[in-house]
Amino acid sequence: MTETGLAPKKLAGFEAIGKAFRFVFGNLQHLFATAALTLSVILVFQLWYMSVTIDQTVELTKAYLSDDPAAMIAATLAFYFSPQTITLVLISMAISLVFGGMFAIRWHRSALFGSNADSTGFGFEFSASLRRYVVYGLGIGVIYVAILAIPAAIAGMGVRSLNVGLSALGGTLLFFGSIAAPYVCGRLSLALPAAALDIPNFGLGAAWRYSDGYGWGIFWAVVFMTIAAVAVSAIIAIPVSLVIGLVNPLPIQPLTDDLDVLIAWQSEVIRAQTWMQIVPNIFIYPIFTGLFTSLFSYIYLQIGKPPAWVEEQRAN
């Protein structure tokens, strides 16, 4: 039974996927204008991240080239657990949540009300709506990781202890966890478009109640959208990466044992790889985000029982 006490109707998941694709690819100019602020912040951060971590990466390379196991372990720990690295990771998460949330909120509104509606397109979004969106998004992410982390830890313990039974148990739980995570988080994600519309009293608990009876429909919609979005991302990333590779090719490893030469080569490799990651993501990130925010917006319209003003604004 659903929140209304009635038997649930079948979720029109494929219809929502189709609408999401049509809206995103029919409004690409608006999509990239909406994402411009977020993309600019991410680009600046990634370039800065490369500049401040390249020395640490060089030290890590030196340790690996030294064939000294103790030096390798020390350099690895220093790289991944240094205050600088932890700070950069926290900054990266904050950027993803805050500026990614700004873009997602405005695209939810675009998908629901049209590209010319208020509070869509380029702009800042420091609001109560953003705070809710960040909290709900962070909560969903924590739940997703928790569902997968526990069976992964069990499987890892089994592998390290050479315990076949424990490994099998962890592997089995991980298989079911890979189904449970998108099922649970797909249902909870119904709270995100409600947060984008600044609708009070529609948090994760309400999302779970309203999606009762629609869980598998949402699950399969997420699965098929993921497959389609990954395929589109590959179609975009492959030619873009090839062009970047031609313009800024990876340097060939020098045939020498000179440590300084190898370190200089490694630094150039890091710079080239960074650009090969950044440029395709400029295209992929907005499209991927746009498709999923549109999908959940249209699912929310079907089963979230939005307030009357939402339908009134959609009709205008």
Side-chain angles (χ1 to χ4, degrees), residues 39 50 72 76 84 109 114 124 128 130-131 144 148 156-157 164 211 219 228 252 259 285 290-291 295:
L39 288 175
M50 177 186 69
M72 293 181 191
T76 302
Q84 182 187 58
R109 294 172 182 165
F124 290 92
L130 176 63
R131 290 194 294 273
Y144 193 98
L148 294 175
M157 290 169 57
V164 176
S211 61
F219 171 83
I252 299 173
L259 187 60
Y285 173 77
L291 287 171
L295 173 66

Side-chain angles (χ1 to χ4, degrees), residues 219-262:
F219 171 83
W220 287 114
V222 170
V223 169
F224 283 107
M225 175 58 91
T226 301
I227 294 170
V230 168
V232 170
S233 299
I235 291 170
I236 295 170
I238 291 172
V240 171
S241 297
L242 288 174
V243 171
I244 297 301
L246 292 172
V247 174
N248 187 33
L250 289 174
I252 299 173
Q253 182 173 357
L255 299 176
T256 179
D257 292 329
D258 188 305
L259 187 60
D260 291 334
V261 173
L262 290 173

Side-chain angles (χ1 to χ4, degrees), residues 17-18 28 35 39-40 44 52 64 71 74 91 94 104 107 116 119 124 156 160 185 236 248 264 268 277 284 296 298:
I17 292 173
L28 285 176
L39 288 175
S40 299
V44 170
V52 300
Y64 279 104
I91 293 173
W107 194 254
N116 295 320
S119 298
F124 290 92
R160 287 192 298 272
C185 294
I236 295 170
N248 187 33
E268 291 303 314
Q277 293 170 1
I284 292 171
F296 281 109
Y298 299 139

Side-chain angles (χ1 to χ4, degrees), residues 49 53 56 60 64 72-90:
Y49 181 91
T53 59
Q56 283 184 304
L60 191 60
Y64 279 104
M72 293 181 191
I73 294 172
T76 302
L77 292 174
F79 182 83
Y80 289 105
F81 297 100
S82 69
Q84 182 187 58
T85 300
I86 293 172
T87 301
L88 289 171
V89 169
L90 292 175

Side-chain angles (χ1 to χ4, degrees), residues 34-242:
T34 306
L37 175 63
T38 301
L39 288 175
S40 299
V41 173
I42 291 174
L43 176 61
V44 170
F45 173 76
Q46 287 182 327
L47 293 175
W48 176 64
Y49 181 91
M50 177 186 69
S51 67
V52 300
T53 59
I54 197 164
D55 290 338
Q56 283 184 304
T57 306
V58 167
E59 292 301 317
L60 191 60
T61 302
K62 285 182 182 179
Y64 279 104
L65 292 174
S66 70
D67 292 327
D68 181 352
M72 293 181 191
I73 294 172
T76 302
L77 292 174
F79 182 83
Y80 289 105
F81 297 100
S82 69
Q84 182 187 58
T85 300
I86 293 172
T87 301
L88 289 171
V89 169
L90 292 175
I91 293 173
S92 176
M93 289 176 60
I95 289 173
S96 298
L97 288 168
V98 175
F99 288 93
M102 289 181 188
F103 166 45
I105 285 173
R106 288 177 171 265
W107 194 254
H108 277 297
R109 294 172 182 165
S110 296
L112 291 168
F113 301 137
S115 58
N116 295 320
D118 293 337
S119 298
T120 62
F122 181 87
F124 290 92
E125 189 62 44
F126 292 113
S127 62
S129 179
L130 176 63
R131 290 194 294 273
R132 282 198 197 96
Y133 202 94
V134 168
V135 171
Y136 296 161
L138 187 59
I140 292 168
V142 169
I143 291 169
Y144 193 98
V145 170
I147 291 173
L148 294 175
I150 295 172
I154 294 172
M157 290 169 57
V159 171
R160 287 192 298 272
S161 63
L162 301 178
N163 187 321
V164 176
L166 194 60
S167 298
L169 174 62
T172 302
L173 292 175
L174 192 58
F175 170 78
F176 286 108
S178 65
I179 297 173
Y183 175 88
V184 171
C185 294
R187 289 182 59 178
L188 295 176
S189 293
L190 204 64
L192 297 177
L197 298 180
D198 203 19
I199 295 173
N201 304 320
F202 199 103
L204 299 182
W208 187 260
R209 293 194 303 273
Y210 275 84
S211 61
D212 184 24
Y214 295 96
W216 289 113
I218 296 173
F219 171 83
W220 287 114
V222 170
V223 169
F224 283 107
M225 175 58 91
T226 301
I227 294 170
V230 168
V232 170
S233 299
I235 291 170
I236 295 170
I238 291 172
V240 171
S241 297
L242 288 174

